[in-house]
Amino acid sequence: MARGADQSALPLTTDDGAPVVVRRSARRRRTVAAFWEDGKAVVAIPAHFTKAQESEWVRRMLDKLKRQGERQSQGAGRRRPASDAALAGHAAELSARYLGGRARPASVRWVSNQKSRWGSATPADGTIRLSDKLRAMPQWVIDYVLLHELAHLLVAGHNHAFWRLLEAYPETQRAKAFLEGVAFATSRGLGPDEQDADAD
C-alpha cells in the first residue's frame, strides 16, 4: 500500500455480497475513485474526509460501479470471444478482475461434445472447456460459466469456499437463473419457436 494511505476496517459489502474496501490516501485532495481489485470493490478517498463524507462517497461510487457493470453486461454481446485464443485471453481478464489473477488455465477452448454440461474444468492439467451451445447466449452468461470453471481451478467442489469466489461477479445469480431456464426448456423439448409461441 502506498505511503500515507489507510484502509478502512468497515465491514462493507456490495448489493451482490462482494467485499468493499475503503482506502484513505493523503495524496488525494478532492478526487474519489472506485474499481475492482482481487474480487473486492475498492473506493479510494482523500484522507481528510469525515465519516459522513466517506459514507456518502462510498454509496455514490458503489452505485457507479453497479451501473458500469450493468452497461458492460448489456453491451458485452458485441465483444463475444469467437476463437479459442480470444476465449483464453478473456478468461485471463476475468480471472484478474474477479479472482485476483489466481486462476491461470493452461488452455481454454470451445467444444461441441458436451451434451449435459455448459462447461468443465480439469484442475490437474489446468484445462477449461466451454460448450459451444453457449455461443448464442448473452455475454454475461458466458462470463459466468467461464468464471465458474476458473473458480474450479482453485476449488474443486461446490462448497462454501467455491461460491465465495463467485460473489464478486454481479451477474452470478442472474446467469444461474438464465441457465436453469434454458435447461428446463430444453428438457421439455421446447425449441426457440415453441418458447416464443406463448409470448405476448
Side-chain angles (χ1 to χ4, degrees):
M1 189 179 301
R3 183 178 305 200
D6 183 26
Q7 202 159 286
S8 171
L10 291 174
L12 299 170
T13 59
T14 66
D15 289 346
D16 299 292
V20 176
V21 175
V22 180
R23 289 184 185 159
R24 289 176 171 263
S25 172
R27 292 191 217 170
R28 283 186 182 275
R29 299 300 179 194
R30 295 187 301 274
T31 60
V32 179
F35 51 91
W36 288 99
E37 179 182 275
D38 296 343
K40 300 179 181 70
V42 178
V43 181
I45 63 173
H48 64 80
F49 269 18
T50 65
K51 284 294 181 185
Q53 287 174 307
E54 174 182 322
S55 296
E56 172 65 16
W57 277 101
V58 167
R59 183 188 62 77
R60 285 191 197 181
M61 299 311 282
L62 291 181
D63 284 346
K64 181 178 179 182
L65 280 180
K66 184 177 180 180
R67 289 194 305 272
Q68 286 174 345
E70 288 170 353
R71 283 197 301 271
Q72 289 170 358
S73 297
Q74 291 165 359
R78 295 186 294 273
R79 301 189 301 276
R80 214 167 256 136
S83 68
D84 288 349
L87 191 62
H90 190 58
E93 292 173 9
L94 290 173
S95 177
R97 181 171 184 186
Y98 297 106
L99 301 173
R102 289 178 294 141
R104 297 175 182 162
S107 71
V108 185
R109 58 194 177 92
W110 294 105
V111 295
S112 58
N113 61 352
Q114 296 204 83
K115 304 303 180 188
S116 60
R117 295 184 185 183
W118 300 117
S120 60
T122 306
D125 60 12
T127 59
I128 289 175
R129 296 155 302 283
L130 293 193
S131 169
D132 60 4
K133 294 176 185 174
L134 290 165
R135 288 180 184 266
M137 296 185 190
Q139 186 61 43
W140 50 269
V141 175
I142 298 172
D143 286 358
Y144 163 72
V145 176
L146 192 46
L147 272 168
H148 187 109
E149 302 311 329
L150 284 165
H152 273 313
L153 297 184
L154 304 175
V155 179
H158 290 106
N159 58 19
H160 181 69
F162 173 83
W163 291 111
R164 285 284 296 171
L165 292 173
L166 294 176
E167 286 180 352
Y169 182 57
E171 304 294 347
T172 291
Q173 296 306 319
R174 183 181 175 208
K176 286 173 68 177
F178 182 98
L179 291 170
E180 286 168 6
V182 171
F184 176 79
T186 302
S187 71
R188 299 288 297 270
L190 300 176
D193 293 339
E194 291 86 348
Q195 292 176 53
D196 291 341
D198 296 329
D200 292 330

